């Protein structure tokens, strides 16, 4: 393209169609080039914004085992006891924290096996209490009641599901747990990761 | 016919009548059509030209910096324990972070180049003269703000380069008469560099300076529009309009800038990130290339001249240039002044580069910094970064400490691959053995060769050059005996249990031990697993960690050199090094030497 071909919009042209197609070409090229330049800075960094979405997708199978307590310290009659979960390592973006309290669980012994309930109520995340008198779990915020097996016992309970269990194992005389949090207030148990 | 309806009716047909209706509605309420018309139908006297593209390129570059800078901001954390760490996170963990950072880094450099081109176009065309004086001053202020943005920007990663280069720059602030020291404290946020330095620089870089730049650009464009494009008569072509003729040229030039920046980003795999800032870790402080001429200038003139007098005189002269340029001679002087300034800066930059090229220790320092940068990233990826920050990783790293202890305490006599352990050459002559690969098969094989033994690489610089081992043993071996030496080397090296060597088979060890005891009768002087006290160093566990600890603690012990010791200090006995330091340097010496 040469400068001779470019005319101002108010110039009178004898060959209207040639002028029109040339002008159309210039306008389309200009718009295209401007669009590329305008979009480029955003395109250069859009992946960095999407990064957290990409990271959470791959993590579901990577929940680490955390050592909680010797099996012998759990009562054999199945009475629940509350334990803090200290994660060996927690990654927050660029910082690696060691031995971080991440939450708490109720552990119940059943023979050689152990059941673990997350302390958080599946309704809206308040801390659930174990009531020894009635031998059940009770959420002091919105009065959800759960049986020893974790299921909702009172129909008036607002919690959409029972207490959240997590994988446990007994190894070397210790109870180990894959500690997780779950999405509150939905019927399905969906881990947050 | 106005602009928007021209486009919509002519090129998009009737299908966009809905669009037209919407634009009519919008126009009634905002007057947008006349605004767009005003913006696009600026007259370009003499037709669109390539030489007018620089202003638009700079606007595009600044726009890119604002967008990419804001995106970086989403992951950047300004504090002494998180700045380097979050930039590391962007560079190595965030999806596409290295590219985003690279674009921001190289676009900043492109801006400097574009500024110079824009300025020179204005000077040569005489577009700085009346009635455009005010706009010229706006432009010079924009130049200053852009340079300030660069200066504040490269501190933000809080790596060694940013830290040390900024230290020099802020020390220059102190040269300002009367208020200098106070000004420096304000800029640095105290006496020492730390959290407050970063937060202040970040506020300047991401808030104050871009804000000032936007305000100045608005004024600059307003004044540019008021006076129109400066064109030399006679006009080269028919007059045309900004849209689309000039915009197309501007767009193509912006695209070229964009492609250059993308190319640099891909070629260099993003922007560099040095080792984390550490005031106790020396660094060859050099500013970015566009400030190198100032750096070089400070080698020749006192800081007060470089920081105050010269900028003041030049600033005043530049301020007066629109008036000086009123006459033809004055204009020629102005253009000549800028050419000289550019040539001078280029010359100084060249000198700075070539002096560094010729300086062996500068090269070593750069390689050392590169090593540290790679090492700290490696540790961060393997072990994570503690809340205390990445600088602790490097300070506590045994490999890094081993090199430093060797350089500080061993390298005035010993060498490591001929240097001081950290890549620097040593001024003193080597007077004790080379220790890279100490006790490895290769190292011991050479030790048992007379020529090597008496060379400066081993004991040539010591009294042992004339000792029994050299003159009465190694020199006297006959052909048969010499053939057995490689097996002795294998035996001795096996005793070291080096982490990178396979141990011998039991049967081999016994066979070589027979050579040591009987064929060559080394046992007459050197013990291995025997009770008696030989007259030469005990080789039981030779080169093993324990043997080396005992030796370095006290080489004058009877087990080792005893009274024959030649200048080797008793580092442990005399408390020259702590036990921890001795073990760290031994672990480092016993690790496999990196291939160059």
């Amino acid at each position: 393209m040469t400068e001779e071909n470019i005319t101002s919009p108010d110039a009178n042209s004898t060959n209207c169609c040639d002028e029109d197609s040339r002008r159309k070409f210039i306008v389309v090229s200009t718009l295209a080039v401007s669009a590329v330049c305008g979009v480029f800075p955003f395109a250069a960094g859009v992946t960095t914004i999407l990064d957290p979405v990409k990271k959470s997708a791959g993590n579901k199978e990577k929940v680490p085992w955390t050592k909680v307590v010797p099996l012998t310290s759990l009562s054999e009659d199945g009475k629940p006891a509350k334990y803090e979960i200290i994660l060996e390592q927690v990654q927050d973006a660029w910082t690696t924290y060691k031995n971080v309290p991440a939450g708490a669980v109720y552990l119940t012994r059943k023979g050689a096996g152990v059941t673990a309930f997350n302390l958080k109520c599946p309704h809206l995340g308040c801390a659930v209490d174990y009531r020894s008198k009635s031998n059940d779990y009770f959420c002091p915020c919105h009065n959800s009641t759960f049986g020893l097996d974790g299921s909702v016992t009172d129909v008036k309970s607002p919690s959409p599901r029972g207490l959240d269990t997590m994988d446990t194992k007994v190894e070397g005389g210790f109870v180990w747990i894959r500690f997780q949090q779950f999405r509150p207030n939905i019927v399905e148990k969906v881990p947050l990761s | 016919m106005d602009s928007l309806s021209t486009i919509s009716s002519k090129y998009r047909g009737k299908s966009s009548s809905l669009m037209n209706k919407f634009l009519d509605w919008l126009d009634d309420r905002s007057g947008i059509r006349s605004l767009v018309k005003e913006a696009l139908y600026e007259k370009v006297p003499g037709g669109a030209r390539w030489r007018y593209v620089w202003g638009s390129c700079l606007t595009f570059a600044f726009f890119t910096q604002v967008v990419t800078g804001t995106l970086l901001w989403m992951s950047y954390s300004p504090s002494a324990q998180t700045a380097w760490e979050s930039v590391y996170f962007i560079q190595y963990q965030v999806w596409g972070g290295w590219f985003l950072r690279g674009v921001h880094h190289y676009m900043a450099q492109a801006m400097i180049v574009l500024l110079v081109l824009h300025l020179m176009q204005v000077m040569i065309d005489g577009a700085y003269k009346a009635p455009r004086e005010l706009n010229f001053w706006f432009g010079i202020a924009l130049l200053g703000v852009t340079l300030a943005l660069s200066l504040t920007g490269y501190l933000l990663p809080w790596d060694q380069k940013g830290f040390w280069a900024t230290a020099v720059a802020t020390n220059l602030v102190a040269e300002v008469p009367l208020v200098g020291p106070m000004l420096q404290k304000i800029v640095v946020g105290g006496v020492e560099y730390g959290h407050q330095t970063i937060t202040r620089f970040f506020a300047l870089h991401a808030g104050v300076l871009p804000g000032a730049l936007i305000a100045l650009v608005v004024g600059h464009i307003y004044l540019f529009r008021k006076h129109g494009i400066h064109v030399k008569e006679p006009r080269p072509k028919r007059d045309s309009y900004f849209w689309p003729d000039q915009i197309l040229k501007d767009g193509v030039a912006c695209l070229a800038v964009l492609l250059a920046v993308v190319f640099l980003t891909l070629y260099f795999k993003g922007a560099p990130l040095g080792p984390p800032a550490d005031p106790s870790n020396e660094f060859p402080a050099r500013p970015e290339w566009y400030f190198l001429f100032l750096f070089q200038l400070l080698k020749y003139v006192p800081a007060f001249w470089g920081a105050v007098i010269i900028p003041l005189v030049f600033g005043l002269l530049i301020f007066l240039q629109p008036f000086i340029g009123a006459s033809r001679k004055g204009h020629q002087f102005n253009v000549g002044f800028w050419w000289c300034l550019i040539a001078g800066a280029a010359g100084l930059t060249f000198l700075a580069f070539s002096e560094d090229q010729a300086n062996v220790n500068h090269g070593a320092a750069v390689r050392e910094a590169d090593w540290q940068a790679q090492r700290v990233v490696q540790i961060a990826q393997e072990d994570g970064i503690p809340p205390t920050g990445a600088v602790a990783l490097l300070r506590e790293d045994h490999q890094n400490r081993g090199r430093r202890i060797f350089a500080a305490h061993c390298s005035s006599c010993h060498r490591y691959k001929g240097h001081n352990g950290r890549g620097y050459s040593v001024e003193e002559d080597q007077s004790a053995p080379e220790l890279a690969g100490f006790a490895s098969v290769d190292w011991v094989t050479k030790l048992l060769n007379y020529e090597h033994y008496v060379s400066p690489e081993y004991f040539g610089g010591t009294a042992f050059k004339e000792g029994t081992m050299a003159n009465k043993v190694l020199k006297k071996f006959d052909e048969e005996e010499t053939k057995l030496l490689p097996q002795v080397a294998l035996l001795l090296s096996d005793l070291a249990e080096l982490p990178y060597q396979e141990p011998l088979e039991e049967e081999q060890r016994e066979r070589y031990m027979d050579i040591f005891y009987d064929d060559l009768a080394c046992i007459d002087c050197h013990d291995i697993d025997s009770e008696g006290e030989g007259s030469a160093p005990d080789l039981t566990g030779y080169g093993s960690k324990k043997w080396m600890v005992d030796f370095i603690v006290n080489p004058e012990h009877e087990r080792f050199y005893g009274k024959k010791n030649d200048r080797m200090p008793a580092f442990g006995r005399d408390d020259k090094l702590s036990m921890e330091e001795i073990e760290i340097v031994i672990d480092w010496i016993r690790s496999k030497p990196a291939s160059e």
Side-chain angles (χ1 to χ4, degrees), chain B residues 189-253:
Chain B
V191 180
E192 299 296 331
Y193 298 86
H195 290 321
Q196 279 278 283
T197 320
I198 307 180
T199 50
R200 275 161 191 250
F201 269 65
F202 186 54
L204 285 173
H205 185 77
V208 177
L209 292 170
L213 198 135
I214 289 168
L216 287 167
V217 163
V218 168
H220 199 57
I221 293 176
Y222 164 76
L223 288 169
F224 161 68
R225 281 298 172 99
K226 183 175 167 59
H227 298 296
I229 284 185
H230 174 89
V231 64
K232 279 185 174 173
E233 302 290 347
R235 302 190 175 187
K237 301 247 158 54
R238 249 191 306 175
D239 292 359
S240 73
Y241 283 88
F242 191 52
W243 167 270
D245 308 343
Q246 185 62 48
I247 293 192
L248 180 60
K249 285 192 161 56
D250 289 359
V252 169

Side-chain angles (χ1 to χ4, degrees), chain B residues 433-448:
Chain B
E434 162 72 38
L435 291 181
F438 172 74
S440 66
V441 174
D442 283 350
W443 193 92
V444 181
T445 306
K446 277 171 126 182
L447 175 77
L448 298 178

Side-chain angles (χ1 to χ4, degrees), chain B residues 451-462:
Chain B
E451 300 301 329
H452 279 116
Y453 188 92
V454 298
S455 76
E457 206 188 336
Y458 284 84
F459 292 108
T462 71

Side-chain angles (χ1 to χ4, degrees), chain B residues 311-449:
Chain B
L312 263 183
V313 170
F314 278 37
L316 186 68
L317 190 68
I318 291 167
F319 178 78
L320 293 175
Q321 276 185 332
F323 308 118
I324 299 171
S327 68
R328 220 171 79 86
K329 284 254 167 72
H331 173 65
Q332 284 169 347
F333 166 81
N334 282 342
V335 175
F337 168 83
W338 281 102
W339 278 125
C340 288
L341 204 62
I342 289 176
L348 285 170
T349 307
F350 174 77
L351 275 177
F353 268 121
S354 53
E355 278 181 22
D356 280 348
Q357 284 282 313
N359 183 345
V360 181
N361 271 341
H362 178 76
V366 169
R367 279 191 298 279
E368 168 73 2
D370 286 346
W371 180 85
Q372 289 175 7
Q374 281 174 18
R375 178 70 189 146
V376 73
V377 166
Q378 187 191 359
I379 308 171
Q381 283 173 339
E382 284 167 9
D383 305 341
I385 301 171
T388 44
V391 69
L393 292 180
L394 211 50
R395 281 184 187 156
E396 288 160 17
D397 175 42
H398 282 197
Q399 277 196 34
N400 187 36
R401 288 186 67 189
R403 290 155 66 98
R404 299 179 82 91
I405 295 167
F406 186 89
H409 297 278
C410 315
S411 71
S412 60
C413 302
H414 292 279
R415 294 292 182 278
Y416 191 91
K417 288 188 172 176
H419 56 68
N420 77 340
R422 302 177 68 205
Y424 295 80
S425 58
V426 184
E427 283 179 15
E428 296 98 327
D429 287 335
Q430 181 174 353
S431 60
E434 162 72 38
L435 291 181
F438 172 74
S440 66
V441 174
D442 283 350
W443 193 92
V444 181
T445 306
K446 277 171 126 182
L447 175 77
L448 298 178
N449 174 297

Side-chain angles (χ1 to χ4, degrees), chain B residues 281-302:
Chain B
N281 185 6
E282 70 284 3
F283 183 80
R286 298 287 182 275
E288 287 291 357
W289 60 266
Y290 41 83
F291 285 130
L292 266 183
F293 71 100
L294 285 175
F295 158 85
Q296 186 70 10
L297 185 68
L298 291 170
K299 292 183 186 171
Y300 309 124
V301 302

Side-chain angles (χ1 to χ4, degrees), chain A residues 3 6-9 23-24 26 30 33 36-38 40-42 44-45 47-49 51 54-55 93-97, chain B residues 41 48 60 63 71 75 77 85-86 89 93 95-97 237 241 244-245 247-249 251 254-255 258 262 384-385 387:
Chain A
E3 293 187 10
I6 304 169
T7 54
S8 54
R23 195 174 152 73
K24 184 175 177 182
I26 292 172
T30 308
V33 169
V36 170
C37 291
F40 168 70
F42 298 95
T47 51
T48 63
I49 303 176
D51 182 69
K54 172 179 156 258
K55 274 189 180 152
W94 53 84
T95 306
T96 306
Y97 296 98
Chain B
Y41 287 94
F60 165 67
F63 165 68
L71 290 170
S75 300
S77 173
E85 291 71 10
S86 56
F89 182 68
Q93 309 278 324
W95 192 17
K237 301 247 158 54
Y241 283 88
D245 308 343
I247 293 192
L248 180 60
K249 285 192 161 56
C254 292
L255 199 62
L258 182 163
V262 169
I385 301 171

